[in-house]
Amino acid sequence: MPGGILGNASRLRWGLLYAFIACMFWSSLYVRTDFVAPYGTADLAIVRFSFSTLIAMLILLARGGLRRIFNERTRGEWLLASALGFLGFTGYYFFLATAIKYTSEVITVAIIAMISVVTLLVNNALYREFKWHVVAWPALLGGAGVATIVWGQVQAGAFSFTDKGMKGLIGLAAALVALAMWSAYQVLNKRALIRFSAVSVEDWTLLTLIGGAIALPPLLAILPASPMSEEFTLYSQPLGPSTLPLLGWGLFLAIGASLLSLSSWNRAQKYLPPTLSGQSVVFLLPLVFALGWYYGRFSTNAFAMLTGIGLLFLSVGATIILQHSPKWLPKSFRSNARRASNADSV
């Protein structure tokens, strides 16, 4: 962990490194989980979030901070942490899983890609790092990347709603909700880290995981009547040898894809300026694509997928160049990040 006051370039490197680590852990969510059968995706998610909540509370207890975090944190902090936990973890994952189930797995890549563009524009609107004619360049590159990915899937017949009917529309609606939820999570989480700067990254991470678990009981209540009902079998499956893979993989995801990923992501937010803080999720794209290639999911669309991912990374590169404001850039393209409430103020 770097200490002291870091220069902008050093902060940027540390921020991108932490973002990559977070995305590396998140990519484990896209590993094929046939081995947890007869349990479904919803079952695995419930086990993962239950374990992550328990681990978060045990860590606080071991550090002697369980009573402190419950007593010292205000109602507003708890409400915000709960909302962020729902937007970024418990609720988001169920909408994403619904989208994948009723459309295609490539919707995952499209959602991640769109998040990078949406958060770039929203964060620039909030923090005014760049004039709009400047931020348009990375936004256009990102948009072109998303369009290329989706176009490649449509051309290959892997992204069509015509054969799915109403289920396809349900999947599309779930995808749009998932996009809105995680974009809102990223923007609000960045602002929370600025607003509650006295709260450590570790405490905020644990607070978010515990707060997000509040959504689990309502989700359990509505799952039997939801589009994901086929993936929810915990109430009907007897305990036995097949339960062990479910518990083992759920524990692994709780540690990696919940605790370590969120901690790394929050650390990245401490160092990255607002426009880059959401864009850095693009690190997840090549990892998800690599898994998809390994499982034979995207092999017919490799060129379009790689081109789209390349354009999204060019979008991030353009934002980094604008952030550094090199001398050869016109003055009208220089970053206003020093005057924004960016990572230096957290």
Side-chain angles (χ1 to χ4, degrees), residues 77-93:
E77 289 172 329
W78 272 109
L79 287 173
L80 181 56
S82 300
L84 290 173
F86 175 74
L87 288 171
F89 285 86
T90 49
Y92 163 75
Y93 185 76

Side-chain angles (χ1 to χ4, degrees), residues 85-232:
F86 175 74
L87 288 171
F89 285 86
T90 49
Y92 163 75
Y93 185 76
F94 282 102
F95 279 101
L96 180 65
T98 302
I100 294 171
K101 181 177 177 63
Y102 289 124
T103 55
S104 70
E105 288 177 330
V106 77
I107 196 69
T108 305
V109 183
I111 289 172
I112 295 167
M114 276 302 298
I115 286 170
S116 70
V117 179
V118 171
T119 55
L120 167 69
L121 296 173
V122 173
N123 279 326
N124 192 65
L126 292 173
Y127 299 96
R128 305 287 184 178
E129 286 186 80
F130 302 105
K131 295 178 181 178
W132 285 110
H133 75 279
V134 177
V135 82
W137 292 102
L140 286 172
L141 283 169
V146 176
T148 303
I149 291 170
V150 175
W151 174 82
Q153 296 300 309
V154 171
Q155 290 294 104
F159 198 73
S160 173
F161 300 106
T162 55
D163 298 331
K164 297 179 181 291
M166 182 58 67
K167 288 184 177 180
L169 294 177
I170 292 173
L172 177 61
L176 294 175
V177 172
L179 168 63
M181 288 179 71
W182 213 89
S183 298
Y185 160 76
Q186 194 284 320
V187 172
L188 293 173
N189 190 56
K190 177 69 176 179
R191 290 184 72 83
L193 287 166
I194 294 173
R195 180 181 174 188
F196 304 126
S197 57
V199 182
S200 68
V201 167
E202 293 80 7
D203 277 359
W204 189 248
T205 297
L206 299 174
L207 193 68
T208 303
L209 289 176
I210 295 171
I214 295 173
L216 280 180
L219 282 171
L220 283 169
I222 65 174
L223 266 174
S226 74
M228 290 294 289
S229 58
E230 296 175 6
E231 302 293 325
F232 179 48

Side-chain angles (χ1 to χ4, degrees), residues 230-346:
E230 296 175 6
E231 302 293 325
F232 179 48
T233 62
L234 278 176
Y235 65 95
S236 61
Q237 293 292 337
L239 294 178
S242 60
T243 310
L244 294 178
L246 175 72
L247 295 176
W249 191 246
L251 179 60
F252 174 82
L253 292 179
I255 296 171
S258 290
L259 183 65
L260 296 179
S261 61
L262 181 57
S263 177
S264 298
W265 185 256
N266 283 338
R267 290 183 185 280
Q269 303 308 294
K270 288 277 187 176
Y271 291 102
L272 292 176
T275 48
L276 272 173
S277 62
Q279 267 192 305
S280 56
V281 76
V282 298
F283 283 124
L284 189 53
L285 291 172
L287 299 171
V288 172
F289 174 72
L291 286 170
W293 181 279
Y294 178 77
Y295 294 130
R297 296 167 183 164
F298 304 142
S299 56
T300 57
N301 308 284
F303 179 76
M305 186 73 73
L306 290 173
T307 302
I309 292 173
L311 287 169
L312 283 152
F313 271 89
L314 283 176
S315 171
V316 175
T319 306
I320 291 173
I321 291 173
L322 293 171
Q323 285 287 344
H324 278 288
S325 299
K327 293 181 180 179
W328 51 265
L329 277 179
K331 287 186 178 180
S332 62
F333 277 68
R334 303 292 175 86
S335 170
N336 296 321
R338 290 184 181 87
R339 297 194 297 272
S341 299
N342 61 7
D344 290 326
S345 62
V346 226

